[in-house]
């Protein structure tokens, strides 16, 4: 039984419902195989799908995992339409049949009268599907006084709300389940083991319906190492909006896991970065920053690298001697990508396509290495401004066709997600040059394909992504990362069927 009182980590519960007991048991076995500790059988939904509540309860003894039994009423966002007396009768039967936990909304605990489970542990739940609830501390105290293990599930409106959940958990006076629903609340589920949550919920797989922001059990157990998490683990992450597509949790957690580093890296969906940092910055030891927040936190760090100021964008906050230090690891990655293929850049002509965020990092990084920069951008005024900053030349698209470049770098978004589009005409490639495309979806863009066909040496955008992440990892952990492992984790995410 994995529910011993002396357990060190959070338990993983997988909510399940099925039309037959056979499917419910098969899904419970899948949950066990994936690493879950508990299955939550939703009797209300099972009945809605066609299974009899009595049959479900009779199957508890056959479950491969301890069962948390829930019968949520239709007016509690469940599917149960029976009477309070009938529900109480079923919960009593579940207790006798060997359920490990029985869950009922705290607002309905009066329906149980004086009855309390003899064998099962009673979970008293409160949900707020639209906000963060009120007086959660007082609510939890009343749940404990009523003899229950408290569960509060509220809805985060932004990642700053995570601070409330963390505070509840780290100051708990007994077992507590506390989580924030929604994508903004997702880290509360991923960090339950660090914050000391009694259990956390996960979906069986990608297909399984769930509360919004619920990870799969495989993600929680594998990528986020929930069973290994301890209260002294460091918390790292990436902020952005949107963030669900981010590769960073995949590659950083793969490296942290391989190196056995007591730290976990989570995706924070953040709308207001300053509010997030004020609420949560004190317990985050390293942060990657992505679109649209690369400019947002410049003023909160104690120090920044010179290139950050020049580029005007920061993609990393790391703790150095207890102080926050802002960096731009894109710049170092760009230099490594280009010099790795083209060698020493002093005196070489680099044609830069784009003057957006990445275009600025390219221009400043390569100018710092002595390259002669020629910049072309759809909005010409931005190219002029950037060329002035880096001592380069801004040209129009037609003028760019006549430039005798050694290196061509694409920093525009052209080609991203569109394998047929290229920012540069195929017939304008020059053999013997180096062509670097920062776009990495698809992995081989039309630009790279055309350049290879014309006899140019190519550098794919994934190289930059891995190198910037590797540099962040060094700053977060002080360790040298296994970049081959990081690349494999990225490729597994980008190309899951390969
Ligand atoms: P951004 O700040 O929005 O800049 C977009 C750039 O693309 C601007 O120069 C923009 O020109 C240009 N552009 C957009 N659509 C265009 C079009 N249809 N035709 C011509 N030019 C167009 O974005 P960003 O942050 O610089 O990101 C740019 C790309 O870099 C992303 O799409 C991504 O693929 C890539 N990236 C790669 C990595 C990596 O690690 N490999 C990291 C981050 C980003 P205007 O100035 O005229 O709008």
């Amino acid at each position: 039984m994995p529910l011993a009182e002396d357990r060190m980590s959070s338990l993983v519960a997988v909510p399940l419902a099925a039309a037959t007991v056979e499917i419910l048991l098969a899904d419970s076995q899948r949950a066990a195989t994936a690493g879950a500790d508990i299955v939550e059988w939703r009797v209300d939904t099972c009945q809605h799908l066609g299974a009899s509540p009595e049959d479900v309860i009779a199957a508890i003894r056959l479950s491969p995992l301890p069962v948390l039994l829930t019968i949520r009423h239709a007016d509690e966002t469940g599917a149960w339409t029976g009477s309070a007396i009938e529900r109480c009768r079923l919960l009593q039967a579940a207790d006798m049949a060997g359920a490990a936990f029985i869950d009922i909304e705290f607002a309905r605990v009066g329906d149980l009268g004086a009855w309390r489970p003899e064998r099962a542990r009673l979970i008293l739940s409160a949900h707020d599907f639209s906000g963060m609830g009120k007086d959660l501390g007082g609510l939890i105290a009343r749940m404990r006084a009523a003899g229950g293990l408290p569960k509060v599930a509220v809805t985060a409106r932004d990642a700053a709300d995570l601070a409330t959940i963390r505070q509840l958990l780290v100051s708990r006076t007994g077992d507590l389940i506390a989580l924030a629903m929604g994508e903004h609340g997702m880290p509360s589920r991923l960090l339950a083991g660090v914050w000391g949550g009694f259990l956390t919920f996960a979906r069986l797989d990608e297909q399984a319906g769930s509360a919004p922001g619920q990870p799969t059990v495989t993600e929680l157990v594998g990528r986020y190492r929930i069973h290994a998490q301890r209260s002294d683990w460091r918390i790292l992450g990436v902020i952005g909006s949107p963030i669900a597509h981010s590769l960073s949790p995949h590659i950083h957690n793969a490296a942290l896991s391989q190196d056995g580093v007591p730290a976990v890296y989570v995706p924070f969906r953040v709308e207001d970065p300053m509010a997030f940092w004020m609420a949560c910055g004190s317990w985050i030891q390293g942060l990657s920053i992505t679109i649209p927040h690369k400019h947002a936190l410049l003023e909160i760090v104690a120090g920044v690298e010179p290139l950050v100021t020049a580029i005007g964008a920061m993609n990393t906050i790391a703790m150095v001697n207890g102080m926050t230090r802002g960096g731009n690891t894109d710049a170092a990655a760009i230099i490594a990508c280009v010099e790795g293929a083209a060698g020493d850049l002093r005196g070489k002509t680099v044609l830069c396509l784009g003057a957006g965020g990445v275009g600025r990092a390219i221009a400043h990084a390569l100018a710092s290495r002595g390259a002669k920069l020629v910049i072309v951008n759809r909005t010409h005024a931005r190219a002029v401004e950037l060329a002035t900053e880096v001592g380069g030349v801004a040209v129009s698209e037609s003028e760019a066709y006549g430039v005798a470049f050694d290196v061509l770098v694409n920093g525009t978004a052209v080609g991203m997600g569109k394998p047929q589009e290229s920012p540069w005409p195929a017939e304008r490639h020059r053999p013997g040059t180096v062509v670097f495309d920062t776009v990495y979806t698809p992995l081989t863009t039309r630009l790279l394909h055309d350049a290879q066909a014309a006899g140019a040496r190519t550098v794919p955008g994934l190289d930059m992504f891995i190198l910037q992440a590797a540099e962040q990892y060094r700053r977060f952990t002080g360790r040298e990362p296994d970049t081959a492992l990081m690349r494999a984790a990225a490729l597994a995410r980008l190309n899951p069927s390969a």
Side-chain angles (χ1 to χ4, degrees):
M1 191 87 158
L3 308 179
E5 290 295 318
D6 61 352
R7 77 197 158 72
M8 298 278 290
S9 65
S10 291
L11 301 167
V12 176
V14 176
L16 294 174
T20 68
V21 161
E22 289 71 28
I23 299 172
L24 192 62
L25 288 170
D27 284 351
S28 299
Q29 185 55 55
R30 287 172 60 211
T33 305
D37 304 299
I38 297 173
V39 279
E40 180 186 27
W41 285 4
R42 286 290 300 261
V43 174
D44 52 319
T45 320
C46 289
Q47 186 187 36
H48 183 69
L49 293 170
S52 116
E54 286 77 9
D55 288 351
V56 171
I57 287 166
I60 289 174
R61 64 186 174 79
L62 301 175
S63 174
L65 289 176
V67 173
L68 186 179
L69 196 106
T70 304
I71 311 176
R72 203 81 74 206
H73 199 274
D75 58 20
E76 302 157 358
T77 70
W80 173 257
T81 52
S83 69
I85 291 174
E86 177 63 1
R87 175 160 67 175
C88 193
R89 187 187 67 74
L90 289 170
L91 293 178
Q92 287 171 344
D95 185 32
M96 290 299 113
F101 298 91
I102 284 168
D103 179 313
I104 190 165
E105 284 286 317
F106 181 49
R108 295 301 186 99
V109 70
D111 291 357
L112 302 182
W115 179 77
R116 290 293 180 270
E118 283 177 28
R119 305 181 188 177
R121 203 154 168 203
L122 181 66
I123 295 176
L124 294 175
S125 295
H127 295 80
D128 184 336
F129 292 97
S130 60
M132 289 297 290
K134 288 197 188 82
D135 183 23
L136 295 177
L139 178 64
I140 288 165
R142 292 194 296 282
M143 288 167 162
R144 288 198 199 287
L149 190 173
K151 171 187 165 188
V152 289
V154 290
T155 302
R157 293 146 302 194
D158 202 347
D161 287 335
L162 292 166
T164 302
I165 300 297
R166 178 184 175 275
Q167 191 52 38
L168 289 175
L169 286 172
V170 300
S171 62
R172 69 193 182 282
T173 55
D175 287 342
L176 174 63
I177 304 165
L179 54 94
M181 296 181 281
E183 195 186 345
H184 296 103
M186 168 94 132
S188 69
R189 301 174 186 273
L190 307 179
L191 297 171
V194 182
W195 292 346
F198 179 78
L199 68 77
T200 183
F201 292 88
R203 283 180 291 162
L204 181 55
D205 54 32
E206 294 288 348
Q207 277 76 46
S210 73
Q214 214 174 76
T216 66
V217 61
T218 306
E219 289 168 342
L220 200 52
V221 173
R223 188 176 316 143
Y224 297 100
R225 293 184 289 161
I226 190 80
H227 288 132
Q229 288 180 16
R230 298 290 181 270
S231 60
D232 60 353
W233 274 34
R234 299 165 71 224
I235 296 173
L236 310 170
V238 54
I239 64 165
S241 180
I243 201 64
H245 66 287
S246 176
L247 290 178
S248 298
H250 297 254
I251 62 182
H252 281 281
N253 283 316
L256 292 168
S257 177
Q258 174 168 282
D259 291 346
V261 177
V264 58
Y265 183 107
V266 300
F268 293 106
R269 175 156 182 179
V270 170
E271 311 309 326
D272 180 340
M274 197 55 90
F276 170 72
W277 187 260
M278 298 315 283
C280 304
S282 62
W283 45 263
I284 292 174
Q285 284 86 30
L287 208 55
S288 308
I289 305 169
T290 190
I291 294 169
H293 300 319
K294 288 190 180 181
H295 313 275
L297 294 176
L298 278 165
E299 66 224 54
I300 59 95
V301 284
V304 291
E305 294 163 359
L307 265 180
V308 168
T309 315
I311 298 166
M314 179 172 79
N315 78 337
T316 311
I317 298 177
M319 300 299 286
V320 179
N321 300 328
M323 307 277 277
T324 50
R325 182 153 178 86
N328 190 317
T329 64
D330 285 342
I334 289 162
I335 291 169
C337 282
V338 176
E339 289 190 338
D344 190 344
L345 290 178
R346 275 173 293 185
K348 289 193 176 143
T349 300
V350 179
L351 179 57
C352 304
L353 310 181
V358 167
R360 292 187 59 77
I362 292 165
H364 281 279
L366 301 186
S368 76
R369 308 298 289 180
K372 289 195 275 182
L373 295 172
V374 181
I375 302 169
V376 57
N377 189 52
R378 178 177 62 180
T379 308
H380 186 64
R382 290 179 91 183
V384 172
E385 191 182 327
L386 183 55
T388 307
E389 286 177 30
V390 299
V393 182
V395 296
S396 67
E397 198 172 301
S398 57
E399 287 169 332
Y401 295 155
V403 174
F405 60 85
D406 301 295
V407 179
L408 174 74
V409 183
N410 177 35
T412 76
V414 178
M416 191 174 72
K418 296 188 174 156
Q420 72 286 4
E421 290 186 7
S422 172
W424 189 249
E427 65 280 8
R428 302 277 178 191
H429 281 292
R430 301 158 59 88
T433 58
V434 166
V435 175
F436 168 37
D437 195 348
T438 65
V439 173
Y440 58 88
T441 47
L443 291 168
T444 303
T445 58
R446 175 77 192 272
L447 174 69
L448 295 182
H449 184 268
D450 292 346
Q452 275 162 13
R457 187 164 175 200
T458 57
V459 184
L462 189 63
D463 287 11
M464 171 182 162
F465 190 80
I466 299 299
L467 289 171
Q468 64 79 28
E471 181 56 26
Q472 289 182 330
Y473 189 83
R474 282 183 203 102
R475 294 179 189 195
F476 294 154
T477 66
R479 286 168 176 262
E480 188 55 32
D482 178 345
T483 50
L485 175 87
M486 287 181 148
R487 179 179 298 275
L491 289 172
R493 167 70 173 172
L494 289 169
N495 207 358
S497 55

